[in-house]
Amino acid sequence: KFGLKITILEKKPAHQSKKNSHDQRTIAISEGTKKFFEKINIWNDINLFSEPIKKIRVIDRKIVNKLDFDNSRRESNLGYIVKNKELLNILYKKIRNSKNIKLFENVKISSIQQSNNSVSTFFNKSTLVSNLNIAADGKNSLVRKMLKTPLFSKNYNKKAFVITFTHSNDHKNTAFEFFFKNGPLAILPMQKIKENYASSIIWTNENNFLNDLINMSEEKIISILNKEINFCIGDIKKIVSKQLFNLSAHLNSKFYEKRLIYIGDSAHSFHPIAGQGWNLGMKDLETLTKISEKYKSLGLELGDNLFCKEYHDKTFYKAYRLFQITDKLDNIFKIQNSILSFTRSSGLNFIQNNKKIKNIISDFAMGIN
């Protein structure tokens, strides 16, 4: 919208998202991200496929150790669940309808050369010269490896079991987060699938346990999950999809190089305990938009060292903070001893009865602060 020429180099075929009708993975969009999407005029399209989260219930081991969150004071939701494939289809449609965006698919980048005035990207026997490169190529960023940007990484030696399923009771737009000694289990409300109530689960647990679980019969998986989630959404009826992901986190030492910035998972990734990693990537994007608008209005060049450094300064601390919060939360909730269990129980009870602290936590979950 600033009249800039944009070129997207996409490793995979962009039309792939339409073919993957079996892909039931979901994205949790925070209220803060939703507000940004409203500003750039794409929320109305996304909202057609979203299921709002109106309440969140946090449970530590036992149902008596609980925290309940809602957002009635702001008259808005805590978040929204959208299928990954629906979001991609909307974005690709917007891209193809934009006259100043070119999309190249099936791209293999061979090298990147930076100078004081421009950056050249070599791919598929072609060369692209630009003022700024935005590396948005994921957790295992090829660009980061090419430029040898240092990073700190942590392997949790666990996996996340992600499933989509239908169930007997209405979820009433409530998300649940159970904290067990082997890791958290989150239940996220989804739109109905073929007129059946639907949700997704993200369960962090030991590698061996989850490797065995994913290979069990559907009946056995349902039996184990029903036992763990205390039938809070009724009986699980059918498993629609299931996947396993290795659990790790990382943080680049800096979010920029000469005429290049890292955005989203290429810059940072986190333990999924707070469900905020993807939304922080959107916060990166919002920050980039604001800086670009400022430089354009002042007649300054986008992509020089001042521009890239300002982007880093406005994004790095938020990522560092979330990295520390998620890592420490994982440690606190997985330790199993009577003293810490009592401390956690007392802490949850104190927060449950303290509106001010609950409001701060809910604002954080919404991506507002």
Side-chain angles (χ1 to χ4, degrees):
K1 71 176 185 179
F2 305 139
L4 303 170
K5 291 181 180 178
I6 312 293
T7 302
I8 298 174
L9 305 182
E10 176 58 64
K11 182 179 179 181
K12 298 176 183 178
H15 63 269
Q16 203 173 57
S17 60
K18 291 182 180 178
K19 289 184 177 180
N20 288 349
S21 57
H22 65 278
D23 184 0
Q24 298 292 330
R25 288 177 300 164
T26 59
I27 291 171
I29 298 177
S30 70
E31 183 70 17
T33 298
K34 175 222 172 188
K35 290 184 182 302
F36 171 58
F37 284 171
E38 285 176 333
K39 287 179 186 175
I40 60 174
N41 298 318
I42 64 169
W43 177 249
N44 285 341
D45 296 308
I46 296 169
N47 193 35
L48 294 172
F49 301 96
S50 76
E51 185 72 9
I53 300 174
K54 296 180 179 178
K55 294 180 180 179
I56 297 175
R57 170 162 283 191
V58 178
I59 300 163
D60 179 27
R61 302 324 193 256
K62 301 174 184 177
I63 198 73
V64 291
N65 300 327
K66 69 180 190 299
L67 268 177
D68 293 305
F69 295 98
D70 62 38
N71 202 29
S72 53
R73 69 194 169 97
R74 290 185 184 273
E75 296 183 347
S76 64
N77 299 308
L78 290 164
Y80 306 83
I81 303 299
V82 179
K83 285 182 184 175
N84 189 42
K85 64 177 182 179
E86 303 294 359
L87 183 62
L88 284 174
N89 287 338
I90 290 165
L91 293 177
Y92 279 128
K93 186 178 179 181
K94 293 281 186 184
I95 287 166
R96 289 193 171 93
N97 290 335
S98 179
K99 292 179 180 178
N100 61 330
I101 300 178
K102 287 184 179 180
L103 173 65
F104 291 89
E105 304 172 66
N106 298 304
V107 166
K108 186 175 181 181
I109 295 173
S110 54
S111 65
I112 296 171
Q113 290 181 3
Q114 300 147 293
S115 71
N116 289 332
N117 299 317
S118 64
V119 54
S120 299
T121 305
F122 299 88
F123 68 100
N124 299 18
K125 298 181 180 179
S126 300
T127 306
L128 177 70
V129 180
S130 57
N131 299 87
L132 173 70
N133 265 14
I134 301 169
D137 55 340
K139 199 171 183 176
N140 299 310
S141 171
L142 173 68
V143 173
R144 188 179 63 229
K145 291 171 185 173
M146 283 181 170
L147 300 184
K148 296 181 171 60
T149 303
L151 77 159
F152 172 79
S153 61
K154 180 168 183 175
N155 188 343
Y156 288 97
N157 296 311
K158 288 188 175 184
K159 291 186 176 181
F161 182 49
V162 181
I163 73 164
T164 301
F165 59 96
T166 59
H167 47 87
S168 59
N169 291 358
D170 188 350
H171 49 54
K172 297 180 180 177
N173 299 100
T174 301
F176 294 86
E177 179 114 30
F178 294 87
F179 287 104
F180 302 123
K181 66 176 182 179
N182 289 328
L185 184 155
I187 308 174
L188 304 174
M190 292 174 60
Q191 283 189 341
K192 285 183 175 180
I193 297 175
K194 296 179 180 178
E195 300 305 312
N196 291 299
Y197 296 118
S199 295
S200 63
I201 279 179
I202 305 167
W203 190 8
T204 300
N205 212 312
E206 302 293 341
N207 290 338
N208 291 338
F209 173 77
L210 292 182
N211 287 335
D212 290 341
L213 182 66
I214 199 168
N215 291 312
M216 290 179 185
S217 67
E218 181 173 349
E219 185 181 0
K220 184 66 175 171
I221 294 173
I222 288 173
S223 174
I224 290 170
L225 288 173
N226 276 336
K227 182 181 175 183
E228 294 292 344
I229 63 179
N230 296 311
F231 302 95
C232 60
I233 46 175
D235 293 323
I236 295 175
K237 293 166 66 175
K238 181 177 175 58
I239 293 175
V240 180
S241 68
K242 55 182 180 177
Q243 292 170 290
L244 273 184
F245 298 96
N246 291 318
L247 220 59
S248 63
H250 84 280
L251 189 68
N252 291 10
S253 63
K254 57 179 180 176
F255 290 176
Y256 75 106
E257 296 286 355
K258 185 183 285 186
R259 292 204 171 267
L260 182 140
I261 62 170
Y262 294 101
I263 201 163
D265 281 2
S266 67
H268 46 68
S269 63
F270 312 96
H271 191 290
I273 196 167
Q276 289 300 313
W278 186 84
N279 288 291
L280 193 68
M282 295 303 102
K283 188 63 74 174
D284 293 343
L285 191 59
E286 184 174 10
T287 300
L288 173 61
T289 305
K290 287 177 180 177
I291 297 171
S292 299
E293 186 171 25
K294 183 179 82 171
Y295 272 63
K296 192 82 167 58
S297 67
L298 293 173
L300 300 174
E301 183 188 2
L302 277 69
D304 64 10
N305 200 55
L306 285 173
F307 179 95
C308 295
K309 179 71 165 54
E310 183 172 346
Y311 167 80
H312 165 87
D313 291 344
K314 291 184 182 300
T315 55
F316 183 83
Y317 171 71
K318 290 174 184 174
Y320 175 81
R321 179 180 67 171
L322 188 59
F323 187 97
Q324 294 294 338
I325 288 171
T326 52
D327 187 59
K328 299 304 179 286
L329 272 176
D330 176 58
N331 282 328
I332 289 168
F333 278 101
K334 74 183 179 185
I335 295 172
Q336 185 84 352
N337 65 53
S338 56
I339 296 173
L340 195 57
S341 293
F342 175 76
T343 305
R344 282 199 307 262
S345 177
S346 301
L348 289 174
N349 187 55
F350 174 75
I351 295 171
Q352 177 76 338
N353 294 298
N354 189 307
K355 279 189 176 181
K356 187 175 181 180
I357 295 177
K358 280 180 74 173
N359 289 344
I360 291 171
I361 294 171
S362 64
D363 283 353
F364 175 77
M366 289 167 58
I368 289 177
N369 61 11

